[in-house]
Amino acid sequence: MKRRIIYLATTVVLILVLFSLTGCKGKTYDTEPSASASASPSVSTSVVPTLAEPEYANWILTENFASRVNFRSSPNVLEDNLLGMIYDREPVVVLDPSIESEDIEWAYIEYGDEKGYVAASYITDEEPLSILEAFAEGIYLNDYKSDETLRSQLVKVSDIAPTVLVDITLAQEINYVSIYADEQGNSTVGALYKNDHAMIQKSTGEKLAKAAALLEEAGYQLMLWDAYRPYFVTLQIYEIVDDEKLIPYPELGESLNSGAAVDVTLYKDNQPVVGMPTPDRVIGFDGQVVKYSENTMLGLLTDAMTQAGFEADSEKWWRFNDTNYKTYPVINFELEIFDQDDLQE
């Protein structure tokens, strides 16, 4: 149990750092449940309960994953009393679980070094699932592309498509982005992923497994270069390339950011297939250089992927989008949060 609490605390720090670095914030609950605009506070802002030392730990839990709730100095929504925000799944200590004011049930809590109030409906006494476990079950996230809340269910590629070969090259010091940067006189890029976890939407992974099976029947293997890519990495690549003709500003993210697209190529007997348009991904590749219909190997790959439920990208021969990729939210979580080792008891 102690290790799980340490893991949860570490995960929360990761989320907070990530949001602060990227400016990509989760939904904020600005109005507590059932708050009335005309209600007057029934508890003075200068009066707080006098209680004994904390007795038990609880957690904040919201409907939308990685959302935030208001943390107030007094149990009302009509005054300038905001102490700050508390992220979904963060541990808190409940000092008084039931204080009624303005037709809202409040909880008086200790969070860090401060004491204050949150709507009691956001308090749970059951330890939330780890981030990895929550993603595996399916969570709801606010989408960058719209005001919608969309469901995401990221799983490991190795679990859902075990026959697919995996080489996450952006986790290596030398990769197609660092090579481009070196050619431009900047050789300090290195790895853009801190580990080589390959995550994918469950339904997309099922399609990937189908494509792999089709290729196996023809005597080939499917090699995966990339699946889920955090949005902040896409921004990093844009800044490194610094050429909107090659990489336009990804304001709304790209398909990989949803975990519903893949970068793939063909292998045979665990070796790269000769005859693909390029040996690896490249920056600034002009898809018109290679006529897809005249490239037998690419045609084989494209046929298998489209039969399985993907659509080819017109500018990147290696990129295939799940035909339903727009139904998934852009995600901005570090790949480290999917480290299985953190879940070991």
Side-chain angles (χ1 to χ4, degrees), residues 71 83 109-116:
F71 181 42
L83 292 173
I109 68 168
E110 182 175 5
Y111 172 63
D113 296 330
E114 292 188 284
K115 295 181 175 65

Side-chain angles (χ1 to χ4, degrees), residues 3 15 26 38 41 68 89 110 149 158 180 189 228 242 250 265 268 272 295 298 304-305 322 325 329:
R3 183 170 294 183
I15 294 176
S38 61
R68 303 179 298 173
R89 316 173 76 76
E110 182 175 5
T149 299
S158 58
Y180 173 83
V189 173
Y228 164 60
D242 195 25
T265 191
K268 187 176 181 66
N295 188 299
L298 182 58
M305 295 297 288
D322 188 328
Y325 83 91

Side-chain angles (χ1 to χ4, degrees), residues 67-141:
S67 300
R68 303 179 298 173
V69 302
N70 292 321
F71 181 42
R72 300 181 179 278
S73 61
S74 56
N76 63 74
V77 298
L78 301 180
E79 298 184 15
D80 185 16
N81 62 357
L82 194 63
L83 292 173
M85 315 298 290
I86 306 179
Y87 277 91
D88 174 52
R89 316 173 76 76
E90 287 199 73
V92 297
V93 176
V94 174
L95 305 175
D96 188 337
S98 181
I99 300 172
E100 189 168 335
S101 174
E102 300 177 354
D103 297 324
I104 299 174
E105 187 98 0
W106 300 85
Y108 183 54
I109 68 168
E110 182 175 5
Y111 172 63
D113 296 330
E114 292 188 284
K115 295 181 175 65
Y117 300 82
V118 296
S121 60
Y122 297 131
I123 298 290
T124 179
D125 58 4
E126 294 185 12
E127 184 175 359
L129 296 175
S130 70
I131 290 179
L132 180 61
E133 292 167 336
F135 262 111
E137 285 197 2
I139 61 175
Y140 287 91
L141 290 169

Side-chain angles (χ1 to χ4, degrees), residues 176 180 278-286 315-318:
Y176 77 102
Y180 173 83
T278 55
D280 196 351
R281 293 168 291 182
V282 293
I283 301 291
F285 174 75
D286 183 358
E315 297 181 356
K316 305 178 185 71
W317 67 261
W318 53 83

Side-chain angles (χ1 to χ4, degrees), residues 9-298:
T10 302
T11 300
V12 168
V13 171
L14 270 175
I15 294 176
L16 290 173
V17 171
L18 179 59
F19 276 93
S20 65
L21 289 176
T22 63
C24 301
K25 300 178 180 178
K27 181 177 180 180
T28 299
Y29 287 83
D30 290 320
T31 304
E32 280 72 14
S34 304
S36 170
S38 61
S40 58
S42 60
V43 178
S44 170
T45 59
S46 62
V47 176
V48 295
T50 301
L51 299 170
E53 289 299 312
E55 295 182 355
Y56 56 97
N58 290 69
W59 291 265
I60 297 294
L61 191 64
T62 64
E63 180 180 353
N64 294 347
F65 192 82
S67 300
R68 303 179 298 173
V69 302
N70 292 321
F71 181 42
R72 300 181 179 278
S73 61
S74 56
N76 63 74
V77 298
L78 301 180
E79 298 184 15
D80 185 16
N81 62 357
L82 194 63
L83 292 173
M85 315 298 290
I86 306 179
Y87 277 91
D88 174 52
R89 316 173 76 76
E90 287 199 73
V92 297
V93 176
V94 174
L95 305 175
D96 188 337
S98 181
I99 300 172
E100 189 168 335
S101 174
E102 300 177 354
D103 297 324
I104 299 174
E105 187 98 0
W106 300 85
Y108 183 54
I109 68 168
E110 182 175 5
Y111 172 63
D113 296 330
E114 292 188 284
K115 295 181 175 65
Y117 300 82
V118 296
S121 60
Y122 297 131
I123 298 290
T124 179
D125 58 4
E126 294 185 12
E127 184 175 359
L129 296 175
S130 70
I131 290 179
L132 180 61
E133 292 167 336
F135 262 111
E137 285 197 2
I139 61 175
Y140 287 91
L141 290 169
N142 300 304
D143 184 39
Y144 287 71
K145 305 182 293 293
S146 67
D147 293 331
E148 293 183 274
T149 299
L150 303 177
R151 189 172 186 270
S152 180
Q153 190 174 16
L154 290 180
V155 297
K156 295 187 72 173
V157 169
S158 58
D159 289 340
I160 197 158
T163 65
V164 173
L165 303 177
V166 177
D167 183 14
I168 305 299
T169 58
L170 285 184
Q172 303 167 11
E173 288 295 315
I174 299 177
N175 53 71
Y176 77 102
V177 179
S178 67
I179 290 173
Y180 173 83
D182 186 55
E183 291 173 347
Q184 303 302 309
N186 178 7
S187 59
T188 61
V189 173
L192 293 178
Y193 294 162
K194 294 182 180 179
N195 55 42
D196 60 356
H197 294 318
M199 307 299 299
I200 197 167
Q201 292 291 344
K202 182 179 180 182
S203 60
T204 306
E206 291 169 347
K207 294 178 180 180
L208 189 67
K210 180 179 178 180
L214 291 171
L215 289 168
E216 286 167 11
E217 292 177 1
Y220 294 90
Q221 299 161 294
L222 191 60
M223 167 61 78
L224 178 78
W225 282 329
D226 219 342
Y228 164 60
R229 173 183 295 171
Y231 177 58
F232 74 89
V233 174
T234 292
L235 288 176
Q236 286 179 343
I237 295 174
Y238 166 79
E239 292 169 357
I240 291 167
V241 173
D242 195 25
D243 186 342
E244 291 217 359
K245 292 181 180 179
L246 298 178
I247 299 182
Y249 178 62
E251 181 177 5
L252 301 180
E254 60 177 326
S255 53
L256 286 179
N257 301 146
S258 299
V262 291
D263 287 355
V264 292
T265 191
L266 279 182
Y267 267 48
K268 187 176 181 66
D269 299 327
N270 295 312
Q271 296 296 322
V273 166
V274 175
M276 300 305 289
T278 55
D280 196 351
R281 293 168 291 182
V282 293
I283 301 291
F285 174 75
D286 183 358
Q288 299 305 313
V289 172
V290 179
K291 295 181 179 179
Y292 291 178
S293 61
E294 297 178 6
N295 188 299
T296 303
M297 293 296 97
L298 182 58

